[in-house]
């Protein structure tokens, strides 16, 4: 799957749900919420959870939840990027160039 195509699909999906209208500062709040859920998923795998109101997950369910939360974080970043007309491949290139320059190395 191409990340730029996924971003376009997300924008259309969010527009149909009337979610794309929310301003960037709201989108950052959603990213924060998703990061919290990702943090909980990692903690569940690495440390465990002992909460009486939660179902005990097997390893496959824990790993599926981790993927779900990582995908949610990525999706929120992609929607925020679309709000500023930034393509995902531009972000990836920017990241690589920044690290190469900062650490004076090419991998």
């Amino acid at each position: 799957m191409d990340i730029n195509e996924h971003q376009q699909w997300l924008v259309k999906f969010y527009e149909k749900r009337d979610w794309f209208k929310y301003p960037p500062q709201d989108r950052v709040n959603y990213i924060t919420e998703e990061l919290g859920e990702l943090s909980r998923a990692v903690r569940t795998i690495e440390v465990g959870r002992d909460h009486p109101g939660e179902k005990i997950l097997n390893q496959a369910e824990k790993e599926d939840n981790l993927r779900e939360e990582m995908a949610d974080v990525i999706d929120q970043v992609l929607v925020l990027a679309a709000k500023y007309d930034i393509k995902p491949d531009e972000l990836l290139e920017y990241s690589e160039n920044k690290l190469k320059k900062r650490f004076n190395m090419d991998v």
Side-chain angles (χ1 to χ4, degrees):
M1 175 180 296
D2 178 88
I3 194 166
N4 291 315
E5 291 173 3
H6 182 67
Q7 183 191 45
Q8 292 170 2
W9 181 88
L10 274 173
V11 168
K12 289 177 187 173
F13 179 84
Y14 274 57
E15 287 172 337
K16 284 185 179 183
R17 303 283 308 172
D18 206 25
W19 296 342
F20 195 72
K21 67 181 179 184
Y22 297 115
Q25 63 268 22
D26 288 357
R27 191 63 46 209
V28 171
N29 287 336
Y30 297 136
I31 292 170
T32 302
E33 179 181 339
E34 295 301 344
L35 281 172
E37 292 173 9
L38 176 57
S39 177
R40 183 178 60 209
V42 170
R43 177 181 154 205
T44 299
I45 290 172
E46 298 300 326
V47 178
R49 298 252 322 150
D50 185 15
H51 191 285
E54 294 180 5
K55 175 187 174 219
I56 297 174
L57 303 177
N58 64 38
Q59 190 63 27
E61 291 170 322
K62 290 176 187 177
E63 292 172 5
D64 183 64
N65 183 244
L66 178 66
R67 285 181 182 84
E68 175 184 349
E69 299 308 339
M70 285 182 171
D72 288 349
V73 170
I74 290 170
D75 283 353
Q76 291 303 319
V77 170
L78 291 175
V79 171
L80 179 62
K83 288 284 197 176
Y84 290 105
D85 199 31
I86 299 171
K87 302 288 183 250
D89 59 348
E90 294 171 10
L91 293 173
L92 299 177
E93 183 178 351
Y94 189 95
S95 172
E96 282 188 26
N97 289 337
K98 175 188 74 174
L99 292 171
K100 288 174 186 177
K101 183 178 178 182
R102 181 178 294 165
F103 295 98
N104 195 29
M105 63 186 295
D106 197 7
V107 179

